[in-house]
Each structure stands twice: as C-alpha cells, then as structure tokens.
Amino acid sequence: MLASLLGSMAGFLGQGGGFWLPEAASKTAEPVDALFNFVLWICIFFFVLICVLMILFVMRFRRQRPDEEALSQVEHNSALEITWTVIPLALAIAIFWMGFKGYMDLATPPANSMGVQVQAQKWSWLFSYPNGVSAAELHVPEDTPVKLTMSSSDVLHSFFVPAFRIKQDVVPGRYTTVWFHPTRTGEFQVYCTEYCGKGHSDMLSKVIVHSRTDYDKWMDEEGNFIDKMPAPEAGAKVFQKYGCKQCHSVDGAGGTGPTFKGLWGIDQPLTTGAKVKVDENYVRESILQPQAKIAAGYEPVMPTFQGRMNDKEIGVLIEYLKTLK
Ligand code: CUA
C-alpha cells in the first residue's frame, strides 16, 4: 500500500508538472525543481521512517503490567549520536549547496540575453523592447535567454511565472531583474504575487513564446499597428495595451475611474466644484498629469503615462474614446 501511495505521489513530482506546479518551460526551472524534489523526498522519507518507528516502539516497549519497572535507562550511545548528527549535517550542506548555486544562477542573466523593460502599475504590466515597441503581454522568441529589467510606477508588485519558476519583486524607485530561457513555444501565465490593492488578482498577463519567424512577424506588426489600422481600432489596442480597462469601463459600468462610455464632449464635474469639457486637451492632460483635474466622486489614484504613452498613441486613444457614445 505504501509503495502504491509513493508511486502515485511520484506522478505529481518532477519536471512533468501536475499537482505542485505547471510543466516546466524554461531552463531556469531545472535547478528549482531539482532542489524542490530533493527536499520533498527527504521530508517524505523521514516522515515515514519516524512514524513507522514511533508506532513500532510504542507497541514493542509499552508497559505491559501496572507494576512493571523500566528495564534499563540508556544514557549515552556514541554511534547513534554521531549518525544522527552527521547524516542531517550532510543533507543540510547538500541543500545549502544546491540552493546557493541555484540562486547564483538565477541572479546572473547570461551575457547574450535579450533585454526587455517591464513597468508594473496598478493593475497591469507593460513590456517595452529596445526598438521602442511595447505591449501588455511579453512576446519572446523560443530558445533565447531573456533578461527583464523591472520597475513600478506606484506600489510594490511581484512578477511571477510559475512555468519558468521565476518570481521577483517589482519596486517603485529602483530596478530589479530576473531572467529566463524558454525551452518551448506556448503561452504562460504571469501573476502579480504581491498584494497591491483592489485589482491585485486581476493583474495578470502572459508570456507568449514564439518560434523565431513568428516572433519577427509579431514584432513587425506590433511596431507599425498605428499606421496600418483605422485610428479608433488602433486606439482600442492602445486602451488594452496600457491596462486602461482595469479602471475605466467602456460599457458604462462603474470602476476606479470614470467609464469612457458617453464621456466625450460632456462637462465633467471636478472635485474642486468646477467643470471641464472632455475634449482632446483634457484627455491628454489626464493621461500625462492625472492629478491635475480629478473627476468628482473619484480618488486621485491614476499613475502618469508620461514617458510611456507617446503622442501617436494618445491621438488614436482619443479617436477611440470619441466612438464610445
Ligand atoms: Cu500588482 Cu498585486
């Protein structure tokens, strides 16, 4: 029975993924899984050993009659004491060595890594490439090491890709890095794993690993979509890309910020009691300096998009807003 139990547990373990973690899809997963399984199997082994011995000893050495005296009092056993010191010490050193080596490897991106900037904000991710292209999902070519340089516009977030076994805090006012080396194509879930407010559990994205040719094609399309699409359609893409939908609905539903439906052209009441006409200048100002004029009934929580959203993108976003009647 024990053998079959251990056998079925073994099915949950290893690189195949399953019960504990999704199937590994990055070279960075190998040392993590190796150490995790090593520690897990040590725990299972000693848990079973100790429980079995405990039950055997309780049965074998229990007091049989009320007046029975203890047979002997063992005070010292050098061989046993050395054994239970040396074996755990060797195991602890092995665990430390695997952990230390794995940590150093995870902290050191290969020199030929492709660099991508990551900006976290409440509650979305933005991935920017050296050629100026940016996207809400991280697209990378297969079998290429990727180094992420990450920062936050507001509060602490944490970048977590279970299939790659990588997790790193994203901190306002400084850069942190993490790297991975995707081993197969596919889509892999990105989580924010540091509680960052109301939309934390919605702060999701994907890593999309393409073949080399598909990646080049994606990059070409992504770099030129504003010139190739009708402006309102391109604006809808910009709206998606920068995570605007996390706070602004387009169907009239409430949110952290005002809905975009029917917003264009109205006289918007402000927290100061004044009113402002929702036109090109007001929308542009609200994107670049969100705290300048706060709509009545809302908190001043929007991060600035200064330096991230360019003029072309603001232009098509305004065209999209105009269509939301
Ligand atoms: Cu960002 Cu939780």
Side-chain angles (χ1 to χ4, degrees):
M1 195 206 97
L2 191 63
S4 75
L5 179 73
L6 288 179
S8 66
M9 283 195 74
F12 292 145
L13 308 176
Q15 298 268 321
F19 183 70
W20 303 106
L21 283 166
E23 195 179 340
S26 166
K27 286 187 181 171
T28 49
E30 288 162 20
V32 177
D33 285 353
L35 181 57
F36 179 81
N37 289 327
F38 184 60
V39 173
L40 184 67
W41 280 111
I42 289 173
C43 293
I44 292 170
F45 175 78
F46 281 103
F47 176 76
V48 171
L49 179 74
I50 289 166
C51 286
V52 167
L53 285 179
M54 194 172 67
I55 292 164
L56 284 179
F57 286 2
V58 163
M59 287 176 359
R60 173 73 183 76
F61 299 110
R62 76 185 194 279
R63 183 187 287 208
Q64 311 262 359
R65 301 182 314 271
D67 58 342
E68 188 176 326
E69 303 259 317
L71 290 175
S72 69
Q73 188 60 45
V74 180
E75 284 174 352
H76 190 64
N77 186 324
S78 295
L80 200 56
E81 286 165 19
I82 289 170
T83 309
W84 79 44
T85 305
V86 170
I87 291 178
L89 182 67
L91 288 174
I93 290 172
I95 292 169
F96 170 77
W97 173 248
M98 291 171 79
F100 178 70
K101 192 174 177 309
Y103 173 79
M104 293 307 281
D105 289 347
L106 280 174
T108 317
N112 61 340
S113 300
M114 175 182 124
V116 181
Q117 296 277 335
V118 181
Q119 191 74 27
Q121 65 166 63
K122 294 193 282 188
W123 290 283
S124 63
W125 301 95
L126 185 68
F127 302 95
S128 307
Y129 296 79
N131 61 3
V133 169
S134 59
E137 289 169 335
L138 176 56
H139 295 253
V140 294
E142 185 188 18
D143 202 24
T144 304
V146 180
K147 177 190 172 185
L148 305 179
T149 304
M150 310 190 289
S151 193
S152 167
S153 308
D154 37 45
V155 298
L156 267 183
H157 303 275
S158 186
F159 183 82
F160 179 35
V161 189
F164 299 167
R165 315 289 194 263
I166 55 167
K167 184 192 272 188
Q168 176 64 53
D169 277 6
V170 184
V171 185
R174 61 174 288 193
Y175 293 108
T176 53
T177 61
V178 71
W179 75 277
F180 59 92
H181 186 139
T183 49
R184 57 190 169 86
T185 58
E187 293 190 4
F188 305 99
Q189 186 68 53
V190 174
Y191 294 96
C192 175
T193 177
E194 181 80 55
Y195 181 71
C196 54
K198 191 173 71 136
H200 161 71
S201 56
D202 280 333
M203 194 169 160
L204 304 168
S205 184
K206 282 201 167 82
V207 181
I208 298 159
V209 181
H210 298 277
S211 67
R212 197 21 107 166
T213 37
D214 284 356
Y215 174 75
D216 292 340
K217 209 171 112 208
W218 173 83
M219 185 55 86
D220 185 50
E221 281 171 10
E222 200 60 27
N224 302 308
F225 75 92
I226 289 184
D227 301 326
K228 287 182 180 164
M229 280 181 176
E233 216 174 290
K237 209 167 143 71
V238 170
F239 178 81
Q240 290 287 333
K241 178 166 123 176
Y242 287 96
C244 311
K245 63 169 186 236
Q246 298 290 2
C247 298
H248 301 281
S249 76
V250 293
D251 59 2
T256 304
T259 180
F260 283 176
K261 186 183 166 77
L263 189 62
W264 185 258
I266 66 165
D267 288 319
Q268 173 70 53
L270 302 175
T271 47
T272 56
K275 283 188 174 179
V276 64
K277 189 170 169 62
V278 179
D279 59 7
E280 281 87 348
N281 285 316
Y282 177 60
V283 172
R284 186 185 157 83
E285 182 185 60
S286 297
I287 292 168
L288 300 178
Q289 297 160 47
Q291 317 304 332
K293 297 189 181 79
I294 304 293
Y298 294 95
E299 297 291 321
V301 293
M302 179 167 156
T304 175
F305 287 82
Q306 185 99 49
R308 283 191 281 160
M309 206 184 278
N310 64 38
D311 284 347
K312 255 186 179 174
E313 290 174 320
I314 294 172
V316 293
L317 188 60
I318 288 172
E319 292 309 312
Y320 173 57
L321 193 59
K322 286 180 185 171
T323 67
L324 301 168
K325 301 226 171 65

